[in-house]
Amino acid sequence: GEGGTRTTTTTTTTTATAKKKQQSSALSTDAMHHRWSLSMILEALSYSKAMVINDYLDVAFDFFDYLQAASGLLDEDSSIMCISAWNENGQADFAKDSGSLVRSDVFPDYAWMISSDFWRELKGEWPSSDWRPWINSRELIKGRACIIPQVCRVTVRKAPLLSAADQQLFEQYIAKIKLNKNPVKFSVMDLGFLAKSKYDAYIDQLIAASETLESAAAVKAYRGKPGDIKVLYDGTSTYVSIARSLGLPPNLKQGHPPASYNGIVTIGYGTWRLFIAPTDWEKRLAHTEEKVRSGSGGAGSSNSGGSSESTL
């Protein structure tokens, strides 16, 4: 009886400790692998860009076409730090427009491309453990953004080593990400609107002109004409509540909604484009310009040593 209880408790604790150590070891190995590989490609081999693709991802038919077409933005706009094929809000209910691209100032977990200039900025402080929280610090982001698609060009085929909480998030949301099935010829599209000098004014006008709904419940009950709608939130707890109600991932990345830009999440919802925006979204858009001007501007400069790209 009593001895058996102690044995069961001890065994459970030992198992949990061993699993935690295993996860920590896996994160350290992952961080070291990223550092070594990026250094090899962007420094030793002098490529101008590197693309990181995890081996447990499936890719869409237009994956490489999209990245190749968008890669030029890294050279043209110093406020763009990466191009990614991943959108954490890319579940089928919210991934409607295969040709839609947006800016996000939350660095994506999967399938991203960076320039050698941005790597030179990162490498000196690259962490020895989990790099994801670190790379999403506002001190490192400095008002910059990644380009992401509304409809993902990659999906996660299997879950890597995860904590219990991350495993639940994976099963409920990440495993349900939609892979694009409608190839888009991004090479013939003008992607210049994604440059910060144009995008902020563009998104500002769209949100300002959209119809305001009072809550997630109002969004779910909305039956208006196709177009743009928005729902506002006044803090992270309100955002999480809206996300849970609509079926979006409720997790935050260093306090910011995944796939957001200045706190603004853009998704497809029914026949509408829905903006989930902070109440001070206009102020945030204006403030970002100041942060980019005061930042290093390292990412996006076109004077890197190499001129070609490599896949990691």
Side-chain angles (χ1 to χ4, degrees):
E2 187 176 333
T5 301
R6 285 200 300 269
T7 301
T8 301
T9 302
T10 302
T11 301
T12 301
T13 302
T14 302
T15 301
T17 301
K19 188 172 184 179
K20 188 174 183 179
K21 288 182 178 179
Q22 187 181 14
Q23 291 166 349
S24 178
S25 176
L27 289 172
S28 296
T29 300
D30 180 69
M32 289 188 293
H33 175 70
H34 274 77
R35 180 184 175 84
W36 180 87
S37 301
L38 289 166
S39 295
M40 180 62 65
I41 291 171
L42 296 174
E43 296 177 73
L45 299 178
S46 299
Y47 282 96
S48 64
K49 301 179 184 72
M51 184 164 50
V52 177
I53 310 172
N54 305 75
D55 60 6
Y56 45 81
L57 300 180
D58 288 325
V59 303
F61 288 112
D62 59 350
F63 171 81
F64 289 104
D65 291 339
Y66 157 62
L67 288 171
Q68 184 174 18
S71 66
L73 294 169
L74 290 173
D75 301 322
E76 298 163 5
D77 186 352
S78 63
S79 77
I80 296 177
M81 59 183 169
C82 87
I83 309 296
S84 176
W86 176 253
N87 184 334
E88 196 160 323
N89 297 325
Q91 293 78 19
D93 287 344
F94 316 116
K96 305 295 184 179
D97 184 354
S98 294
S100 177
L101 304 177
V102 297
R103 290 175 67 105
S104 170
D105 55 18
V106 178
F107 202 91
D109 289 343
Y110 306 114
W112 42 267
M113 173 190 288
I114 63 171
S115 69
S116 57
D117 293 313
F118 190 44
W119 173 243
R120 279 194 288 271
E121 185 179 337
L122 298 178
K123 66 175 184 178
E125 299 181 15
W126 191 264
S128 59
S129 186
D130 192 358
W131 53 268
R132 293 166 183 83
W134 168 78
I135 207 169
N136 269 309
S137 68
R138 296 301 102 175
E139 293 77 12
L140 193 150
I141 297 292
K142 297 176 183 175
R144 293 174 293 197
C146 294
I147 305 302
I148 63 172
Q150 183 181 116
V151 185
C152 286
R153 266 54 186 189
V154 295
T155 52
V156 182
R157 184 168 59 252
K158 62 178 181 179
L161 188 65
L162 299 172
S163 66
D166 287 341
Q167 181 67 33
Q168 183 178 14
L169 180 72
F170 176 85
E171 293 174 355
Q172 285 188 275
Y173 302 101
I174 306 305
K176 297 177 182 178
I177 295 287
K178 173 185 175 182
L179 185 66
N180 183 57
K181 302 294 184 182
N182 302 305
V184 175
K185 293 183 178 180
F186 287 104
S187 60
V188 300
M189 295 172 61
D190 181 4
L191 303 182
F193 77 96
L194 292 164
K196 180 169 181 55
S197 58
K198 296 181 179 179
Y199 187 84
D200 284 9
Y202 164 74
I203 200 73
D204 181 273
Q205 292 173 1
L206 290 177
I207 297 175
S210 64
E211 182 175 351
T212 303
L213 302 179
E214 295 301 319
S215 65
V219 171
K220 294 165 74 172
Y222 188 69
R223 296 295 182 270
K225 295 180 180 179
D228 293 340
I229 55 177
K230 65 176 176 284
V231 61
L232 304 179
Y233 66 92
D234 58 6
T236 55
S237 61
T238 308
Y239 174 80
V240 169
S241 177
I242 292 172
R244 288 186 187 280
S245 179
L246 296 178
L248 286 165
N251 61 310
L252 301 174
K253 301 295 182 71
Q254 298 302 100
H256 302 272
S260 64
Y261 180 63
N262 288 288
I264 303 163
V265 171
T266 305
I267 59 173
Y269 193 83
T271 57
W272 307 278
R273 176 167 46 189
L274 171 62
F275 301 105
I276 307 173
T279 52
D280 61 345
W281 56 271
E282 291 176 291
K283 181 179 179 180
R284 294 193 188 200
L285 287 174
H287 184 56
T288 307
E289 185 64 40
E290 299 173 9
K291 289 190 287 186
V292 171
R293 284 200 301 266
S294 64
S296 68
S301 159
S302 60
N303 60 353
S304 52
S307 59
S308 54
E309 301 163 8
S310 180
T311 300
L312 165 58

